[in-house]
Structure formats: structure tokens, C-alpha cells
Amino acid sequence: MTIDLRGLSPAPVTPFTEEGDIDFAAIQRLGSWLGSIDGVKSLVVLGHAGEGTFLTVDEQLDVIRAFRDSVEGRIPIVAGITGEGNKVAALEAKRAVDAGASAGLVYPSHGWLRFGFQQGAPQTRYQDIYDESGLPLILFQYPDNTKASYDLDTQLEIAGQEGVFATKNGVRNMRRWYTEIPALRAAYPELQILSCHDEYLLPTMFDVDGLLVGYGNIAPELLVDLIAAGKANDYAAAHEIHERLLPVTKNVYHRGSHMEGTVALKWGLVHRGILDHATVRTPLLPLADGADKEIAAAFVSAGIERVTVDA
């Protein structure tokens, strides 16, 4: 695999107009800005932060194309593959390739979140998607408190399949992290390991090749520095960045529901001058009155300023 995600891979939001349609001008601003930052290695679209499952099939393809155009081929576009069944997901991946995606982030079949998975079933999902589309794939490890979190043997088998080149790990159980990440490293030294622990990145920064996070929308410059500190084993520098970001982290991710983080990300992008408003699609709802001001104050506290984008 030639795709190198050893750095920051933001998972951009999908901007909407106030009427609820995709805002392509805002995608151009967001994508071109993120793609211009040294250390950003890809954009991962159509995930949770991107409200990917709230879009029609045509809209999903439009979003892939729009972000691809926004970066002018400088970095790859990774598409979230979320379809429920293997065949559905495989055809989704094939369409993503045609629209310009360079890799796919494979979500578990969402029925598994409630009912769990049969042993061996996740492996067939990755195999069927790759066989149909030829799309290089990222293994997605869900949180430990879901029934779609893969045991170590399942992760190892998926990581060893043709086409799988990286893993996005969000297990959120440090006992498992400190057991399973070294095992994956030992079995597959070339596997790119990416953390997605947006709400508490510091503990995972010293074990990974990079970050694949929605957080990358709003503070990409500092997250690039955080990755560099982790790779240098410079705890003091990493901790300083963590503390600087903590007001933002609390206001974006330490909320009642992690899904609220998507709305908060959009308010963060309003503060940074990329978006004009924080319109989302239902079932996401606006944040409580005053949340936008609290988020803006957190950015000021962290010294994160507005940007100017020529797009």
C-alpha cells in the first residue's frame, strides 16, 4: 500500500446551507484549508463527524467529489463505508472509488452494536468489500462498551487480510489498548495505527502513527504538533498541548452525547471563520442556548484564532 496516513487525518464535517442542502462553497473552504496544512495526510469523509449516514447516496458521492476537488489531488480522500450488509457495503465502496476515494474506513455492521457479531463475520465484511472494490481499507475498532468492538483475534485476522493497511482504534479501554496495540504492532509492523480518542488523546499519543479524528476539523495545527511530540516521546510538550486544548476538548467532546460533538465542531469552525453557521441534519439537534458562546470562549482561551481561506 502506498497510502501514508502517518500524521493527522481530519474527519471533516459536512457543511449544509441554512436550507439544509450540501454547501459546496463551504466544503471548498474547509477542504482547501485542511489540505494546505503540513502534516495533514488525508481527509476522511462520510463518518460520524460528517453525518455520512444522514446523506442520500447521491449526496455521499457529491461530498467525496467535492472534498477531492478541494484538495486538488494533494492528499487522498478516505470514504466512510457504512452500509449494513456485505453486498450493500461492497457496492458503496465501489461507488466511492468511482467518485474519487483513495481508501475506505469500514464501519461495523450497525446491527452488531445491539446484537453482537458472529465470530468470523467481520472478516467476511472486509474481504467482500475489498474483492468488489479494490479499495484499500482501514480497520475500525469501536469502543469497548459496544457489542461491535472486535476481540484481539478478530483484529489480527482482519489486519492480515489483503487490502487492509491501517487501523483506526477507538476502544476507549486502556487495559485493552495496552494489550492489543502492541500485539497488532508485533504481528504487522507495517500496519498504520491511528488513534481516534478525541476526548482524551494524550494517553494514546505515544503508541500511534497518527490521528484520525473529527477534532482535526477545528485545531489541526495543534494536533500536528501533538503527534510530533508523541513520536518524539516528549511528554512535557505533549502535555502542554493537551492542557492548552483542554477547554476546547471539554466544550466539544465532554458532552452528554458524543454525537453532540458534531454540532460543536461546526460551531468551532464558525469561530475559525470557515463556516457561517452550524446547521446540522436531524436527528442531530442544535446545542443548548449559549453553547456557541461557550465554545467560542474556549477557543479564545486556547489561543486558537480565525483563519483566512482564499476559496
Side-chain angles (χ1 to χ4, degrees):
M1 296 293 167
T2 59
I3 299 174
D4 179 10
L5 303 186
R6 296 177 179 90
L8 176 62
S9 289
V13 302
T14 299
F16 298 112
T17 66
E18 291 183 296
E19 293 72 35
D21 299 317
I22 294 171
D23 188 337
F24 293 102
I27 287 179
Q28 177 63 33
R29 291 194 300 274
L30 176 58
S32 63
W33 171 57
L34 292 173
S36 72
I37 295 169
D38 189 27
V40 168
K41 307 306 289 284
S42 76
L43 300 183
V44 184
V45 305
L46 303 181
H48 292 130
E51 301 174 69
T53 56
F54 305 165
L55 305 177
T56 68
V57 169
D58 287 342
E59 287 176 326
Q60 290 173 344
L61 300 179
D62 284 342
V63 166
I64 293 172
R65 295 186 191 103
F67 274 107
R68 177 201 63 194
D69 293 346
S70 76
V71 300
E72 298 179 333
R74 293 188 300 272
I75 56 174
I77 302 300
V78 180
I81 306 300
T82 59
E84 180 72 0
N86 286 16
K87 183 176 180 63
V88 172
L91 293 175
E92 179 185 1
K94 190 172 183 180
R95 292 192 298 268
V97 171
D98 293 340
S102 298
L105 173 64
V106 180
Y107 286 66
S109 186
H110 285 81
W112 299 342
L113 290 166
R114 179 180 178 189
F115 298 110
F117 58 87
Q118 296 168 283
Q119 287 298 319
Q123 294 89 320
T124 69
R125 181 168 173 82
Y126 283 79
Q127 191 65 61
D128 290 350
I129 290 170
Y130 184 71
D131 287 347
E132 177 69 33
S133 68
L135 191 64
L137 301 177
I138 301 171
L139 163 61
F140 194 173
Q141 172 67 323
Y142 259 40
D144 178 69
N145 64 356
T146 73
K147 292 184 178 182
S149 187
Y150 303 139
D151 57 86
L152 178 56
D153 286 343
T154 298
Q155 291 177 75
L156 288 168
E157 290 180 15
I158 294 172
Q161 291 182 196
E162 183 181 7
V164 177
F165 73 101
T167 181
K168 172 187 177 181
N169 192 293
V171 70
R172 290 167 171 81
N173 176 330
M174 297 312 292
R175 289 184 298 173
R176 290 186 62 184
W177 176 275
Y178 291 132
T179 299
E180 296 174 2
I181 296 300
L184 286 164
R185 281 267 191 235
Y188 303 106
E190 297 303 313
L191 183 73
Q192 298 174 44
I193 296 177
L194 312 171
S195 174
C196 67
H197 291 75
D198 301 78
E199 62 270 55
Y200 31 77
L201 291 171
L202 185 62
T204 65
M205 285 314 306
F206 302 92
D207 305 311
V208 297
D209 299 301
L211 299 176
L212 196 169
V213 285
Y215 211 145
N217 279 269
I218 53 175
E221 309 95 332
L222 286 171
L223 292 190
V224 167
D225 291 343
L226 184 60
I227 293 166
K231 289 183 177 180
N233 287 315
D234 188 341
Y235 179 81
H239 187 263
E240 181 180 355
I241 296 166
H242 169 267
E243 290 298 298
R244 180 178 169 186
L245 283 170
L246 193 55
V248 177
T249 306
K250 288 180 177 179
N251 274 277
V252 174
Y253 285 109
H254 294 182
R255 293 186 168 273
S257 164
H258 192 81
M259 287 304 294
E260 292 180 57
T262 295
V263 196
L265 286 174
K266 289 189 172 182
W267 278 118
L269 286 166
V270 170
H271 173 77
R272 298 222 64 182
I274 303 298
L275 299 185
D276 298 324
H277 49 85
T279 301
V280 291
R281 278 196 176 170
T282 52
L284 283 179
L285 300 172
L287 299 182
D289 290 346
D292 57 329
K293 294 181 177 61
E294 294 171 355
I295 293 166
F299 275 75
V300 171
S301 173
I304 300 175
E305 300 177 345
R306 292 175 69 88
V307 295
T308 301
V309 179
D310 296 324

